Amino acid sequence: MAFCFLPSSSSLSTESNKVESQTIAMTTSSSADAALCPYTLKPISSIDKSELAVINPEESECGHKCSLPHLISYIHDASAGSTHSCPVCLQSKVTVVCDGNAADRVLRGEPHGENDAQERVVCLRYGPIHYYLSLQSTSSRITATSCALSRIGVVLGVDVKHGMKIIHNGKIIYPDKTNNDVSEKILSISSLDIAKKRKKPSLVVIGIRKQRQLYSQGSKSNAAAGVQGVIFAIVGMLTPRALWSNMSWGIGWTINTTKSLLGALYLFAKSMLYPPQHRDE
């Protein structure tokens, strides 16, 4: 006699959940690759990870990506000192910015790559923003540490040799009066901050940015900035979160308006059918 064993309902549900999760992951990945940068309007997948900005990677509602140089110009040049929202969702406040290589390591609490100790991350505060920047992999440890300062200067647009200062616990560690290279010290402090997952980086960078505004220069750039602002607004309105928010608000407004209108018509009809009676004194 042959027996046929059917899979249990729990195993079927487990398999269906796996398939569903894989489908969602594939959909999310494909949508992220197909997303466009709100500044350059180029696919996110075409931007080099060292030039890619990941905004607030620890927030489930954000974590959006765009061009790193354009984002820094938007934050520190357009209206320095004011609060800036994510240029993609226009909802979350920009507090943390990672480049494409550093984002995953920061979330895992890993200051460097698993297979390459030279791929290290430097974290710092510049203005109100926390930055996590990766260093390119090199075969020489000396080259890897010495490029920490240049990486900070290039990304932030600050002159490393003239004007930039780095402060740690209230003390200026760069420039060093003894002319020692402090790059290794900067990387060690950053590694400790990332490993302990501190809320704020210990290093604070002070310096005036060079004239590197990517827009708002001259009348032509002002016109381009206006067109770019319109594009940002349209892109922001077409995001799923913005569409859902607008739809919810529209439905609520329609329901409240309809209720008010029907209530007014009811009172009017009632007053016509049953006019108020005046008492004779």
Side-chain angles (χ1 to χ4, degrees), residues 18 28 59-60 64 78 131 182 203 217 231 235 238 247 255 266:
K18 290 182 179 179
T28 304
E59 294 185 10
S60 59
H64 297 108
Y131 288 98
V182 298
L203 298 175
Q217 295 179 352
I231 295 175
V235 172
L238 295 179
M247 186 177 68
I255 293 174
Y266 171 76

Side-chain angles (χ1 to χ4, degrees), residues 139-169:
S139 57
S140 171
R141 183 177 180 83
I142 298 177
T143 306
T145 56
S146 61
C147 70
L149 290 173
S150 61
R151 174 66 170 161
I152 295 173
V154 169
V155 172
L156 299 181
V158 179
D159 191 345
V160 176
K161 295 183 179 180
H162 303 90
M164 189 178 81
K165 295 181 180 180
I166 300 178
I167 301 175
H168 178 245
N169 292 336

